[in-house]
Amino acid sequence: MNKLLIKNARIVTSERIYFSDILAEAGKITYISENIEKKTDYDILDAEKKYVFPGGIDPHVHMHLPTFAGYSADDFYSGSKAALSGGTTTLIDFVTPQKNESLPDALAKRKKEAGKCLTDYSFHVSPVDFYQSLKPEIKECINTGITSFKVYTAYLDSIGLTDDKLFKVMQIIAENGALLTVHAENGTEIKKLRNKYFKEGKTEPEFHPLSRPAETEYKAVEKIINFAEETNCKVYFVHVSTGKSAEIIKSAQKKALPVFAETCPQYLLLEDSKLKGKFKDTAKYVFSPPLRKKTDNENLWNALSDSVIQTVGTDHCPFNYSQKLLGENDFRQIPNGAGGVEHRLSLLYTYGVLESKISLNDFVKISSTNSSKIFGLYPQKGEIAVGSDADLIIWQNTDEIISIKTHNQSCDLNIYENIEIKGKPQTVIKNGKIIFSDGIFSDNISNGEFLKRKL
Ligand code: URP
Ligand code: ZN
Ligand code: ZN
């Protein structure tokens, strides 16, 4: 049985910061106290008074995502390895059934695909249509530990739901006390604008954000909040990109509606000017929703520090340049998505904590504890307490730049290329075992486990 004693930890949780030792046995935290006595059968790790955070939870990743451009560049193995190097020890990915495939069947298939995932993991399951047996299918998923269901109001030609279907799905989710996660963009309006620009010969990546203006997001957010009010459905907006959406979400929360929100580092740090220029430099910034303005970046930081937005996920979905090239003459054919799973904590720490936009406790909430609570994993994950999984990060100061030469994701592009980071994990501990230390992965990292979540 592996036993790990971490000495001199400066423990940071969502509520407290304090010095202590931590004992982990058989994958769980079993004792937290000052001066825990060393025993011969313990492995000892000296944290040297560095910050120790709970392992990160990324509530929004797409590994091995099938698209018209082939699979996204990271599979579950390479993507989860990248996640671990950046301090994320739990991932929530997605199950997107084929039309006519049941949700439980699609879930079983996706679990097999995730077999080589090195982090623990779960999925948001997507109803991509409304039909009679959807209700029992959703119940069956809940019984196997899935408590959140993802819908899209964009991508209407494939996986998106029209308003009438969305409303019925929300009724079922609400009846079962589950959570609806939503990609909120007005698919009909976006399709019109994309085709209009293309017909006018406007084919470059810069027309991607122009064809998805801010109102295509915030009006969809507004509509879904109205549906939530009528159906009593709990809603979590993924990848919120505009300040105006955050404002609307805040108003809903003031009315005590159960509305949660996530944003991503790209919407906090990057602007739509990144899409101006040559295809080779701009195609990597094509993802949806698109990049916005500096004021949106600022308003989203404020929404995070005010707890209007509770989580930061990455929407990790990298594509190689050869895949992006499919849209060289038509921005509509550029596969949407970018990677970032390994940079989330470093970016939040550098540009959030060190720039005094969020506190250290907020950092832990946003990167880990809030996702654990919202998605039914608490207190197993996202906490440093006796009984919680021993998923821990020892943090160190650094001064380096992000580069495709050194990143761990399996992709030849990086939207954070040349961006500076000032903190990163020195040691990552997963289920009480050191799996990454001083830039080196340990030899035998066991596969992660599918997490049964609670309502
Ligand atoms: O452009 C993106 N975000 N691609 C991944 C799928 C999604 O919409 O989240
Ligand atoms: Zn999305
Ligand atoms: Zn996504």
Side-chain angles (χ1 to χ4, degrees):
M1 192 171 69
N2 98 300
K3 298 179 182 178
L4 178 68
L5 175 59
I6 305 170
K7 298 292 291 176
N8 304 311
R10 190 173 181 186
I11 297 175
V12 187
T13 70
S14 58
E15 302 292 336
R16 293 178 64 197
I17 303 180
Y18 63 107
F19 286 103
S20 192
D21 297 345
I22 305 169
L23 181 64
E25 297 173 276
K28 301 271 179 198
I29 296 171
T30 52
Y31 193 30
I32 301 177
S33 179
E34 284 177 40
N35 296 317
I36 300 177
E37 202 184 316
K38 295 177 185 175
K39 294 204 178 149
T40 48
D41 61 338
Y42 292 170
D43 291 326
I44 314 282
L45 181 62
D46 189 354
E48 297 168 331
K49 303 196 171 167
K50 295 193 177 89
Y51 293 133
V52 174
F53 303 127
I57 301 173
D58 191 332
H60 189 158
V61 297
H62 304 269
M63 305 303 174
H64 193 62
L65 179 77
T67 73
F68 66 91
Y71 285 100
S72 57
D74 264 324
D75 60 18
F76 278 92
Y77 178 76
S78 63
S80 60
K81 205 168 169 187
L84 287 173
S85 71
T88 290
T89 49
T90 298
L91 296 171
I92 312 186
D93 201 288
F94 296 85
V95 173
T96 314
Q98 302 292 317
K99 293 254 176 201
N100 301 322
E101 186 180 29
S102 78
L103 303 189
D105 284 355
L107 172 60
K109 206 159 85 188
R110 193 76 173 143
K111 274 190 193 171
K112 280 197 190 137
E113 288 175 348
K116 291 218 167 84
C117 191
L118 298 176
T119 62
D120 288 347
Y121 55 92
S122 180
F123 304 101
H124 311 280
V125 171
S126 277
V128 293
D129 202 353
F130 179 81
Y131 45 86
Q132 278 319 307
S133 59
L134 187 65
K135 199 167 172 169
E137 288 181 17
I138 284 178
K139 273 194 192 320
E140 195 178 328
C141 289
I142 291 173
N143 291 338
T144 59
I146 297 292
T147 59
S148 53
F149 295 85
K150 165 88 179 284
V151 294
Y152 299 79
T153 63
Y155 313 135
L156 286 175
D157 294 337
S158 51
I159 54 178
L161 289 179
T162 53
D163 287 358
D164 57 329
K165 289 182 179 177
L166 171 62
F167 192 84
K168 288 181 193 156
V169 169
M170 288 176 81
Q171 285 176 316
I172 299 176
I173 307 281
E175 272 170 34
N176 285 283
L179 176 66
L180 187 84
T181 69
V182 195
H183 172 135
E185 282 189 303
N186 182 333
T188 313
E189 187 57 27
I190 288 168
K191 190 174 174 183
K192 260 194 248 161
L193 287 170
R194 277 156 71 83
N195 293 340
K196 174 181 111 54
Y197 282 122
F198 182 73
K199 273 194 199 135
E200 291 168 3
K202 296 170 176 165
T203 60
E204 298 86 4
E206 72 173 282
F207 295 100
H208 175 71
L210 292 172
S211 66
R212 306 176 101 95
E215 62 267 24
T216 57
E217 178 181 271
Y218 69 72
K219 287 197 174 151
V221 166
E222 207 159 42
K223 178 183 70 191
I224 292 156
I225 287 175
N226 289 336
F227 285 5
E229 203 164 2
E230 282 185 65
T231 57
N232 282 320
C233 185
K234 280 188 281 179
V235 175
Y236 172 98
F237 290 101
V238 303
H239 53 42
V240 170
S241 67
T242 68
K244 180 82 180 170
S245 295
E247 236 177 72
I248 293 165
I249 290 165
K250 185 174 179 175
S251 308
Q253 290 165 345
K254 276 199 180 144
K255 291 203 273 177
L257 293 175
V259 177
F260 305 94
E262 161 200 290
T263 189
C264 311
Q266 54 270 37
Y267 304 117
L268 293 165
L269 299 173
L270 308 177
E271 297 168 40
D272 60 0
S273 53
K274 290 275 183 206
L275 286 120
K276 287 234 160 77
K278 295 203 174 83
F279 182 88
K280 73 173 179 35
D281 304 318
T282 57
K284 67 180 175 183
Y285 298 106
V286 171
F287 42 78
S288 296
L291 291 175
R292 308 291 184 188
K293 306 285 178 204
K294 195 173 173 52
T295 49
D296 291 294
N297 300 160
E298 284 160 3
N299 291 335
L300 291 173
W301 276 115
N302 290 336
L304 262 181
S305 71
D306 292 348
S307 299
V308 170
I309 294 177
Q310 295 79 24
T311 69
V312 169
T314 55
D315 199 3
H316 182 82
C317 189
F319 290 98
N320 282 310
Y321 187 62
S322 58
Q323 295 173 292
K324 293 276 181 188
L325 260 180
L326 285 177
E328 198 178 9
N329 300 312
D330 180 354
F331 72 92
R332 300 172 305 171
Q333 300 302 320
I334 303 172
N336 278 212
V341 73
E342 72 201 90
H343 308 308
R344 185 176 66 114
L345 272 68
S346 288
L347 291 170
L348 266 177
Y349 180 81
T350 307
Y351 298 98
V353 176
L354 296 185
E355 294 195 2
S356 303
K357 293 192 172 90
I358 53 172
S359 69
L360 269 175
N361 302 107
D362 288 342
F363 169 78
V364 169
K365 276 185 207 161
I366 290 163
S367 64
S368 183
T369 316
N370 284 348
S371 284
S372 174
K373 289 183 174 169
I374 292 169
F375 294 111
L377 290 168
Y378 193 80
Q380 181 186 354
K381 301 289 185 190
E383 188 56 279
I384 301 181
V386 170
S388 296
D389 284 357
D391 295 349
L392 301 162
I393 320 163
I394 301 176
W395 197 252
Q396 64 182 342
N397 293 330
T398 187
D399 194 355
E400 53 192 88
I401 55 161
I402 292 173
S403 165
I404 54 168
K405 294 193 192 100
T406 49
H407 71 194
N408 288 291
Q409 65 184 29
S410 174
C411 185
D412 57 11
L413 299 173
N414 193 318
I415 56 171
Y416 303 109
E417 189 74 22
N418 285 327
I419 288 186
E420 210 177 3
I421 51 163
K422 296 209 175 277
K424 68 174 188 181
Q426 175 176 51
T427 305
V428 180
I429 296 155
K430 171 88 195 63
N431 290 116
K433 290 191 187 138
I434 298 171
I435 49 95
F436 181 80
S437 194
D438 293 321
I440 296 171
F441 291 96
S442 74
D443 289 338
N444 298 313
I445 308 177
S446 357
N447 290 340
E449 280 182 16
F450 172 72
L451 297 166
K452 281 190 156 198
R453 296 190 275 129
K454 300 177 293 278
L455 281 178

